[in-house]
PDB file of all heavy atoms in Angstrom:
ATOM      1  N   SER A  92      -5.330  19.906   0.920  1.00  0.00           N
ATOM      2  CA  SER A  92      -6.077  20.189  -0.309  1.00  0.00           C
ATOM      3  C   SER A  92      -7.565  20.256  -0.008  1.00  0.00           C
ATOM      4  O   SER A  92      -8.043  19.682   0.968  1.00  0.00           O
ATOM      5  CB  SER A  92      -5.791  19.116  -1.372  1.00  0.00           C
ATOM      6  OG  SER A  92      -6.357  17.869  -1.007  1.00  0.00           O
ATOM      7  N   GLN A  93      -8.279  20.943  -0.877  1.00  0.00           N
ATOM      8  CA  GLN A  93      -9.741  20.965  -0.794  1.00  0.00           C
ATOM      9  C   GLN A  93     -10.289  19.687  -1.438  1.00  0.00           C
ATOM     10  O   GLN A  93      -9.604  19.049  -2.244  1.00  0.00           O
ATOM     11  CB  GLN A  93     -10.286  22.177  -1.556  1.00  0.00           C
ATOM     12  CG  GLN A  93     -10.008  23.516  -0.913  1.00  0.00           C
ATOM     13  CD  GLN A  93     -10.865  23.775   0.322  1.00  0.00           C
ATOM     14  OE1 GLN A  93     -11.724  22.981   0.685  1.00  0.00           O
ATOM     15  NE2 GLN A  93     -10.602  24.889   0.978  1.00  0.00           N
ATOM     16  N   HIS A  95     -11.689  17.288  -3.992  1.00  0.00           N
ATOM     17  CA  HIS A  95     -11.594  17.347  -5.456  1.00  0.00           C
ATOM     18  C   HIS A  95     -11.843  15.958  -6.032  1.00  0.00           C
ATOM     19  O   HIS A  95     -11.778  14.958  -5.311  1.00  0.00           O
ATOM     20  CB  HIS A  95     -10.211  17.858  -5.876  1.00  0.00           C
ATOM     21  CG  HIS A  95      -9.091  16.964  -5.435  1.00  0.00           C
ATOM     22  ND1 HIS A  95      -8.545  17.039  -4.183  1.00  0.00           N
ATOM     23  CD2 HIS A  95      -8.451  15.954  -6.066  1.00  0.00           C
ATOM     24  CE1 HIS A  95      -7.610  16.119  -4.054  1.00  0.00           C
ATOM     25  NE2 HIS A  95      -7.527  15.433  -5.193  1.00  0.00           N
ATOM     26  N   ASP A  96     -12.122  15.915  -7.327  1.00  0.00           N
ATOM     27  CA  ASP A  96     -12.251  14.621  -7.989  1.00  0.00           C
ATOM     28  C   ASP A  96     -11.193  14.492  -9.074  1.00  0.00           C
ATOM     29  O   ASP A  96     -10.354  15.386  -9.240  1.00  0.00           O
ATOM     30  CB  ASP A  96     -13.682  14.412  -8.524  1.00  0.00           C
ATOM     31  CG  ASP A  96     -14.025  15.314  -9.702  1.00  0.00           C
ATOM     32  OD1 ASP A  96     -13.110  15.907 -10.316  1.00  0.00           O
ATOM     33  OD2 ASP A  96     -15.229  15.422 -10.022  1.00  0.00           O
ATOM     34  N   HIS A  97     -11.236  13.378  -9.796  1.00  0.00           N
ATOM     35  CA  HIS A  97     -10.285  13.158 -10.888  1.00  0.00           C
ATOM     36  C   HIS A  97     -10.996  13.001 -12.211  1.00  0.00           C
ATOM     37  O   HIS A  97     -10.556  12.239 -13.082  1.00  0.00           O
ATOM     38  CB  HIS A  97      -9.402  11.947 -10.582  1.00  0.00           C
ATOM     39  CG  HIS A  97      -8.463  12.202  -9.447  1.00  0.00           C
ATOM     40  ND1 HIS A  97      -8.212  11.305  -8.465  1.00  0.00           N
ATOM     41  CD2 HIS A  97      -7.754  13.308  -9.117  1.00  0.00           C
ATOM     42  CE1 HIS A  97      -7.378  11.827  -7.588  1.00  0.00           C
ATOM     43  NE2 HIS A  97      -7.091  13.043  -7.956  1.00  0.00           N
ATOM     44  N   ALA A 102      -6.925   7.935  -9.651  1.00  0.00           N
ATOM     45  CA  ALA A 102      -5.574   8.091  -9.100  1.00  0.00           C
ATOM     46  C   ALA A 102      -5.386   7.074  -7.983  1.00  0.00           C
ATOM     47  O   ALA A 102      -6.339   6.690  -7.301  1.00  0.00           O
ATOM     48  CB  ALA A 102      -5.360   9.499  -8.575  1.00  0.00           C
ATOM     49  N   TYR A 104      -2.777   6.862  -4.687  1.00  0.00           N
ATOM     50  CA  TYR A 104      -1.712   7.505  -3.914  1.00  0.00           C
ATOM     51  C   TYR A 104      -1.056   6.440  -3.047  1.00  0.00           C
ATOM     52  O   TYR A 104      -1.745   5.702  -2.343  1.00  0.00           O
ATOM     53  CB  TYR A 104      -2.279   8.589  -2.994  1.00  0.00           C
ATOM     54  CG  TYR A 104      -2.947   9.738  -3.706  1.00  0.00           C
ATOM     55  CD1 TYR A 104      -4.305   9.719  -3.974  1.00  0.00           C
ATOM     56  CD2 TYR A 104      -2.201  10.834  -4.104  1.00  0.00           C
ATOM     57  CE1 TYR A 104      -4.926  10.774  -4.625  1.00  0.00           C
ATOM     58  CE2 TYR A 104      -2.810  11.890  -4.754  1.00  0.00           C
ATOM     59  CZ  TYR A 104      -4.171  11.853  -5.019  1.00  0.00           C
ATOM     60  OH  TYR A 104      -4.773  12.890  -5.666  1.00  0.00           O
ATOM     61  N   MET A 113      -6.485  11.284   4.777  1.00  0.00           N
ATOM     62  CA  MET A 113      -7.390  11.364   3.634  1.00  0.00           C
ATOM     63  C   MET A 113      -8.837  11.430   4.119  1.00  0.00           C
ATOM     64  O   MET A 113      -9.224  10.655   4.995  1.00  0.00           O
ATOM     65  CB  MET A 113      -7.183  10.125   2.757  1.00  0.00           C
ATOM     66  CG  MET A 113      -7.727  10.240   1.377  1.00  0.00           C
ATOM     67  SD  MET A 113      -6.915  11.492   0.361  1.00  0.00           S
ATOM     68  CE  MET A 113      -5.476  10.588  -0.237  1.00  0.00           C
ATOM     69  N   TYR A 146      -8.651   6.405  -5.697  1.00  0.00           N
ATOM     70  CA  TYR A 146      -9.646   7.493  -5.799  1.00  0.00           C
ATOM     71  C   TYR A 146     -10.134   7.477  -7.232  1.00  0.00           C
ATOM     72  O   TYR A 146      -9.414   7.882  -8.145  1.00  0.00           O
ATOM     73  CB  TYR A 146      -9.023   8.826  -5.342  1.00  0.00           C
ATOM     74  CG  TYR A 146      -8.463   8.587  -3.971  1.00  0.00           C
ATOM     75  CD1 TYR A 146      -7.141   8.200  -3.808  1.00  0.00           C
ATOM     76  CD2 TYR A 146      -9.306   8.569  -2.875  1.00  0.00           C
ATOM     77  CE1 TYR A 146      -6.659   7.831  -2.561  1.00  0.00           C
ATOM     78  CE2 TYR A 146      -8.834   8.207  -1.619  1.00  0.00           C
ATOM     79  CZ  TYR A 146      -7.518   7.837  -1.481  1.00  0.00           C
ATOM     80  OH  TYR A 146      -7.057   7.444  -0.253  1.00  0.00           O
ATOM     81  N   GLU A 150     -15.197  10.436  -7.325  1.00  0.00           N
ATOM     82  CA  GLU A 150     -15.135  10.362  -5.862  1.00  0.00           C
ATOM     83  C   GLU A 150     -14.383  11.566  -5.312  1.00  0.00           C
ATOM     84  O   GLU A 150     -13.225  11.799  -5.665  1.00  0.00           O
ATOM     85  CB  GLU A 150     -14.389   9.099  -5.427  1.00  0.00           C
ATOM     86  CG  GLU A 150     -15.227   7.848  -5.510  1.00  0.00           C
ATOM     87  CD  GLU A 150     -14.420   6.603  -5.161  1.00  0.00           C
ATOM     88  OE1 GLU A 150     -13.187   6.695  -4.971  1.00  0.00           O
ATOM     89  OE2 GLU A 150     -15.042   5.556  -5.109  1.00  0.00           O
ATOM     90  N   HIS A 152     -12.358  13.650  -2.619  1.00  0.00           N
ATOM     91  CA  HIS A 152     -11.462  13.373  -1.505  1.00  0.00           C
ATOM     92  C   HIS A 152     -10.581  14.588  -1.261  1.00  0.00           C
ATOM     93  O   HIS A 152     -10.405  15.425  -2.152  1.00  0.00           O
ATOM     94  CB  HIS A 152     -10.613  12.132  -1.798  1.00  0.00           C
ATOM     95  CG  HIS A 152      -9.835  12.255  -3.068  1.00  0.00           C
ATOM     96  ND1 HIS A 152     -10.430  12.127  -4.305  1.00  0.00           N
ATOM     97  CD2 HIS A 152      -8.546  12.542  -3.302  1.00  0.00           C
ATOM     98  CE1 HIS A 152      -9.519  12.307  -5.237  1.00  0.00           C
ATOM     99  NE2 HIS A 152      -8.368  12.579  -4.655  1.00  0.00           N
ATOM    100  N   SER A 153     -10.062  14.691  -0.056  1.00  0.00           N
ATOM    101  CA  SER A 153      -9.122  15.767   0.273  1.00  0.00           C
ATOM    102  C   SER A 153      -8.011  15.178   1.112  1.00  0.00           C
ATOM    103  O   SER A 153      -8.211  14.206   1.844  1.00  0.00           O
ATOM    104  CB  SER A 153      -9.830  16.899   1.021  1.00  0.00           C
ATOM    105  OG  SER A 153     -10.392  16.414   2.223  1.00  0.00           O
ATOM    106  N   ALA A 154      -6.829  15.768   0.985  1.00  0.00           N
ATOM    107  CA  ALA A 154      -5.652  15.202   1.637  1.00  0.00           C
ATOM    108  C   ALA A 154      -4.961  16.251   2.487  1.00  0.00           C
ATOM    109  O   ALA A 154      -4.871  17.416   2.098  1.00  0.00           O
ATOM    110  CB  ALA A 154      -4.681  14.670   0.576  1.00  0.00           C
ATOM    111  N   ARG A 164       2.334   8.739  -6.926  1.00  0.00           N
ATOM    112  CA  ARG A 164       0.981   8.827  -7.473  1.00  0.00           C
ATOM    113  C   ARG A 164       0.945   8.200  -8.858  1.00  0.00           C
ATOM    114  O   ARG A 164       1.797   8.502  -9.696  1.00  0.00           O
ATOM    115  CB  ARG A 164       0.525  10.292  -7.567  1.00  0.00           C
ATOM    116  CG  ARG A 164      -0.947  10.419  -7.946  1.00  0.00           C
ATOM    117  CD  ARG A 164      -1.368  11.869  -8.081  1.00  0.00           C
ATOM    118  NE  ARG A 164      -1.152  12.344  -9.443  1.00  0.00           N
ATOM    119  CZ  ARG A 164      -1.636  13.501  -9.924  1.00  0.00           C
ATOM    120  NH1 ARG A 164      -2.311  14.304  -9.132  1.00  0.00           N
ATOM    121  NH2 ARG A 164      -1.407  13.858 -11.164  1.00  0.00           N
ATOM    122  N   LEU A 170      -3.744  14.090 -15.698  1.00  0.00           N
ATOM    123  CA  LEU A 170      -4.927  14.769 -15.152  1.00  0.00           C
ATOM    124  C   LEU A 170      -4.997  16.236 -15.568  1.00  0.00           C
ATOM    125  O   LEU A 170      -6.067  16.843 -15.542  1.00  0.00           O
ATOM    126  CB  LEU A 170      -4.924  14.691 -13.621  1.00  0.00           C
ATOM    127  CG  LEU A 170      -5.080  13.307 -12.988  1.00  0.00           C
ATOM    128  CD1 LEU A 170      -5.136  13.431 -11.479  1.00  0.00           C
ATOM    129  CD2 LEU A 170      -6.326  12.602 -13.503  1.00  0.00           C
ATOM    130  N   ARG A 175     -11.650  18.619 -13.977  1.00  0.00           N
ATOM    131  CA  ARG A 175     -11.902  18.053 -12.644  1.00  0.00           C
ATOM    132  C   ARG A 175     -12.593  19.113 -11.797  1.00  0.00           C
ATOM    133  O   ARG A 175     -12.555  20.300 -12.118  1.00  0.00           O
ATOM    134  CB  ARG A 175     -10.583  17.657 -11.991  1.00  0.00           C
ATOM    135  CG  ARG A 175      -9.904  16.487 -12.669  1.00  0.00           C
ATOM    136  CD  ARG A 175      -8.423  16.467 -12.418  1.00  0.00           C
ATOM    137  NE  ARG A 175      -7.759  17.550 -13.111  1.00  0.00           N
ATOM    138  CZ  ARG A 175      -6.749  18.256 -12.610  1.00  0.00           C
ATOM    139  NH1 ARG A 175      -6.298  17.997 -11.411  1.00  0.00           N
ATOM    140  NH2 ARG A 175      -6.203  19.230 -13.297  1.00  0.00           N
ATOM    141  N   SER A 199      -3.451  18.966  -8.798  1.00  0.00           N
ATOM    142  CA  SER A 199      -4.151  18.629  -7.562  1.00  0.00           C
ATOM    143  C   SER A 199      -3.497  17.429  -6.894  1.00  0.00           C
ATOM    144  O   SER A 199      -2.862  16.632  -7.546  1.00  0.00           O
ATOM    145  CB  SER A 199      -5.617  18.321  -7.845  1.00  0.00           C
ATOM    146  OG  SER A 199      -5.698  17.135  -8.591  1.00  0.00           O
ATOM    147  N   ALA A 200      -3.670  17.349  -5.611  1.00  0.00           N
ATOM    148  CA  ALA A 200      -3.054  16.243  -4.876  1.00  0.00           C
ATOM    149  C   ALA A 200      -4.123  15.307  -4.358  1.00  0.00           C
ATOM    150  O   ALA A 200      -5.267  15.621  -4.359  1.00  0.00           O
ATOM    151  CB  ALA A 200      -2.220  16.766  -3.738  1.00  0.00           C
TER     152      ALA A 200
HETATM  153 FE1  FE2 B 311      -6.669  13.518  -5.651  1.00  0.00          FE
END
Side-chain angles (χ1 to χ4, degrees):
S92 69
Q93 290 286 357
H95 62 276
D96 70 15
H97 291 137
Y104 297 92
M113 197 65 83
Y146 306 92
E150 282 176 354
H152 56 285
S153 60
R164 188 182 89 168
L170 294 183
R175 292 156 290 141
S199 67

